[in-house]
Amino acid sequence: DIQLTQSPSSLSASVGDRVTITCRASQGIRNELGWYQHKPGKAPRRLIYGASSLQSGVPSRFSGSGSGTEFTLTISSLQPEDFATYYCLQHNSYPRTFGQGTKLEI
Amino acid sequence: DVQLVESGGGLIQRGGSLRLSCAASGITFSSYAMSWVRQAPGKGLEWVSLISGSGIGTYYADSVRGRFTISRDNSKNTLYLQMNGLSPEDTATYFCVFGFYFDFWGQGTQVTVSS
């Protein structure tokens, strides 16, 4: 199974900050990775697909990069609505696996 | 707009069975793979199962293989998850997810398994 390791597990930040979350895969997964935002009681929302493509309707302050085993999600200027938990997900092979999540807090 | 509405969750005793449903609208349902993903209380997201658009291909997490069965009825635009032999470890919110690339998610349905 492919393990995805996210760092950090939690992060305290302020409105306006630039934030970067890393996701490392235990083996190469090309660009077959997505990033998701999840708020309590809500449906998770895809932000990035194919490691670096922005989902339609998602603000341009979100960006993704990486290929192979190392990936990053960057939020260029945090907004109040961005405080949530973020997950990476690989769809290179079965079983599909998620990172453990990064909780972004004020 | 894509809409996914899950139903069928509830409180069940250990060893019991439940069938979850996910009604889809706003998409050409039969053209797309669908998945179930769950989140146990206080935990992260866990992929459970995926089914191809035709229903021929099915894939499972080791934790549910042999107990859960994913299926779909393309004439009704509905995805199912038959869950047998439930244990407290299966307690979670279960999300229905559209697309091979996990494009769009439903709001989830809560399953609680008592011991």
Side-chain angles (χ1 to χ4, degrees):
Chain A
D1 297 4
I2 295 174
Q3 312 299 321
L4 296 181
T5 303
Q6 274 182 246
S7 59
S9 298
S10 64
L11 178 58
S12 292
S14 302
V15 173
D17 284 354
R18 180 182 180 90
V19 166
T20 297
I21 299 168
T22 298
C23 179
R24 289 188 173 89
S26 59
Q27 60 193 78
I29 57 171
R30 299 184 290 192
N31 69 335
E32 291 166 311
L33 182 121
W35 288 97
Y36 297 81
Q37 178 192 67
H38 190 203
K39 298 179 180 179
K42 303 279 192 175
R45 172 194 184 196
R46 189 174 70 173
L47 304 173
I48 300 289
Y49 63 95
S52 59
S53 296
L54 187 68
Q55 175 73 25
S56 175
V58 172
S60 59
R61 62 181 179 272
F62 291 92
S63 64
S65 65
S67 183
T69 61
E70 187 147 341
F71 303 87
T72 60
L73 173 71
T74 299
I75 311 172
S76 60
S77 178
L78 273 174
Q79 298 303 299
E81 60 269 29
D82 299 338
F83 291 93
T85 301
Y86 293 83
Y87 296 91
C88 53
L89 161 69
Q90 66 81 20
H91 48 80
N92 173 265
S93 64
Y94 295 101
R96 302 303 195 230
T97 47
F98 289 88
Q100 79 275 21
T102 295
K103 188 172 184 179
L104 184 50
E105 302 173 297
I106 299 173
Chain B
D1 282 4
V2 179
Q3 277 209 320
L4 301 171
V5 179
E6 301 96 335
S7 61
L11 176 62
I12 189 81
Q13 286 194 328
R14 176 193 290 270
S17 298
L18 275 178
R19 188 175 84 156
L20 305 184
S21 299
C22 171
S25 59
I27 55 173
T28 308
F29 184 72
S30 61
S31 296
Y32 296 96
M34 299 289 293
S35 295
W36 290 98
V37 173
R38 68 185 180 183
Q39 184 178 38
K43 303 293 186 181
L45 299 173
E46 179 190 16
W47 173 75
V48 172
S49 184
L50 180 148
I51 186 168
S52 65
S54 66
I56 292 174
T58 57
Y59 305 86
Y60 297 93
D62 287 346
S63 58
V64 307
R65 186 176 291 111
R67 300 187 299 123
F68 290 12
T69 302
I70 192 171
S71 62
R72 64 193 297 160
D73 185 336
N74 287 343
S75 69
K76 295 182 178 178
N77 284 7
T78 301
L79 174 72
Y80 302 101
L81 186 67
Q82 177 66 44
M83 304 187 296
N84 299 330
L86 285 161
S87 72
E89 291 71 38
D90 297 314
T91 293
T93 299
Y94 286 73
F95 297 99
C96 167
V97 188
F98 157 77
F100 186 81
Y101 303 111
F102 295 70
D103 306 39
F104 188 81
W105 299 53
Q107 296 269 11
T109 186
Q110 177 66 39
V111 172
T112 302
V113 184
S114 67
S115 54

